[in-house]
Amino acid sequence: MLTELTTGLIKLTLANGFEAFIATSGGFMEVSREKVIILADAAVLSEEAAVEKARAEADRARKLLEVPDGSIDAEAVRKDLDHAENLIRVAQMRH
C-alpha cells in the first residue's frame, strides 16, 4: 500500500518499547508485510525540534495572514503555519 503524507506526526515504537515522535511535512509512505518505508519532505525528531524558532515562524505567518494584501502567497504561508504548529505539538511529546 502506498499513501501520501501530509503535515503530521509519526509515532515510532521499537521492539524494545522505545518510542520516538517525528514531525513530518509531506511525502509518501509505503507499507508491506515486511517493512514500512517513509519518504518525507521534512522530518524532525521531537527532541530536535527548535520550538522557539517554530513559535516565531507561527507568529510571523499569523501576522501575514491577518492582512492579506495580495503580495503574499497565502497558501504557502498557511503551509508554513501548519508546519510550525506541528513542530510545536510534536516537541511537547518529548520524553
Side-chain angles (χ1 to χ4, degrees):
M1 176 177 73
L2 182 67
T3 188
E4 186 175 357
L5 297 174
T6 60
T7 298
L9 162 73
I10 294 174
K11 178 183 173 185
L12 177 66
T13 304
L14 301 179
N16 66 3
F18 175 79
E19 292 180 335
F21 300 95
I22 305 166
T24 61
S25 182
F28 296 92
M29 179 172 67
E30 181 180 12
V31 179
S32 68
R33 287 180 182 244
E34 297 82 28
K35 61 185 170 185
V36 174
I37 298 172
I38 298 171
L39 300 172
D41 295 338
V44 179
L45 286 167
S46 61
E47 292 83 8
E48 297 175 0
V51 177
E52 291 308 314
K53 182 178 176 184
R55 285 188 179 128
E57 178 62 26
D59 289 343
R60 184 192 70 79
R62 284 188 200 100
K63 287 177 185 172
L64 286 172
L65 291 171
E66 284 176 1
V67 188
D69 62 6
S71 66
I72 64 163
D73 180 348
E75 184 176 334
V77 174
R78 278 190 212 89
K79 187 175 179 179
D80 290 345
L81 177 58
D82 288 344
H83 178 72
E85 289 175 339
N86 187 50
L87 278 174
I88 295 164
R89 275 191 304 274
V90 172
Q92 292 171 346
M93 297 177 172
R94 292 180 182 161
H95 294 319

